[in-house]
Amino acid sequence: MVPYRSILFVPGHKPQWLDKALAAGADCIVLDLEDSVPADLKAGARATVADSIRAVRERDRRVGLFVRVNPLDTRLTGADLEAVVAPGLTGVFAPKIDTATDVLRYDALLDHFEARNGVQGLEYIVPVEMVAAIQNAREIASASPRVGAMIGPTAEHADIARAVGYRWTPEGEETLYLRSRVLLACREAGIHPLTGLWERLDDLVGLKTFAEKGRQLGFRGMIAIHPSHVPVVNEAFTPTADEVEFHEGLVAAYQAAAAAGSGAARYRGVHIDKAHVDTARDWLAHARSLPGAASAPVPTIDAPEGGR
């Protein structure tokens, strides 16, 4: 999956909001058919979302484009997918997954509608919304090659808050364990780890702090629910020029030491060896894979004979 920094929701029945979503610079847009669409408008919203997919792709080939369908137990999922699985769609935001078996149930539907509608390679973003999903996060993350990203739960008022019973704080300590389990499951499975949303629409300072803490933990992107949040989130999950320079310099310093027959070196007051370079190389590869990033090659460096 593309390492999206920002994933912005747009109600599926409000295509007029897409202009602001695209202008905000979101890496990925999720057209919603679930919670933001009233029950009596869901059928019509399917056709609107299908039209929106075509309209967005005429304007922007870059942006990720997902649809949040209605959960499996609503019995609306098949009709949703039948309408929206179309050329230009990137994937499905798959709600209310609790077990690996739920992923396979989505797979069965998606395999059918991909073949029927001439589409291939769709991916899942999986929100971890309930206690069972947290307990099964490791199995869910590796249940299907379609699972490209999972979201660590942080909501102030939504399903996970009710299920766990925590009292939300801006610092997020009450969800640290929940998010950490999802983060480790993502890293083990090699998929994209996302942290949850910031619900306070006008508190951009709090959003910035929360997003930066998420990046510090190891998350690589975040869900957004308002266009004004997108620039803040993108900045938080984009490496700075100084960070890129540091990691490039670290690789170069070790390369020079290795050429001189040493397995370790001093770099800006820090001891470095091959483990540090492997980390720097992975970091640079991620930085250069971000949407819009320059894609300079990342050097592969072997340790000299004898190691350190």
Side-chain angles (χ1 to χ4, degrees), residues 63-193:
V63 68
L65 203 52
F66 284 69
V67 174
R68 179 166 73 168
V69 295
N70 288 283
L72 293 166
D73 63 4
T74 66
R75 304 180 70 86
L76 299 173
T77 316
D80 290 343
L81 292 173
E82 182 178 26
V84 305
V85 171
L89 185 66
T90 308
V92 174
F93 191 104
K96 304 300 187 293
I97 284 178
D98 285 340
T99 68
T101 300
D102 291 335
V103 177
L104 300 182
R105 293 170 66 197
Y106 272 102
D107 268 359
L109 288 168
L110 208 52
D111 287 347
H112 170 74
F113 289 115
E114 275 191 338
R116 179 174 172 175
N117 296 353
V119 179
Q120 60 182 358
L122 297 184
E123 301 175 292
Y124 300 134
I125 297 174
V126 177
V128 177
E129 300 176 274
M130 301 300 285
V131 172
I134 295 168
Q135 301 285 40
N136 296 318
R138 190 178 185 189
E139 292 77 15
I140 291 169
S142 59
S144 166
R146 294 186 186 275
V147 180
M150 285 174 56
I151 305 168
T154 60
E156 183 174 357
H157 298 110
D159 293 327
I160 190 66
R162 181 180 71 255
V164 176
Y166 59 70
R167 179 177 293 176
W168 183 89
T169 65
E171 295 76 23
E173 291 184 4
E174 69 286 343
T175 59
L176 177 59
Y177 172 71
L178 311 181
R179 288 182 287 146
S180 296
R181 287 193 59 165
V182 175
L183 173 63
L184 292 177
C186 288
R187 299 299 291 175
E188 183 180 23
I191 65 175
H192 188 43

Side-chain angles (χ1 to χ4, degrees), residues 257-306:
S262 177
R266 182 183 179 92
Y267 174 66
R268 299 192 186 183
V270 177
H271 166 90
I272 63 170
D273 57 22
K274 186 175 183 296
H276 297 78
V277 169
D278 288 343
T279 300
R281 188 173 66 244
D282 287 350
W283 189 96
L284 287 166
H286 170 72
R288 291 165 181 166
S289 68
L290 293 174
S295 55
V298 178
T300 300
I301 301 170
D302 296 323
E305 289 295 325

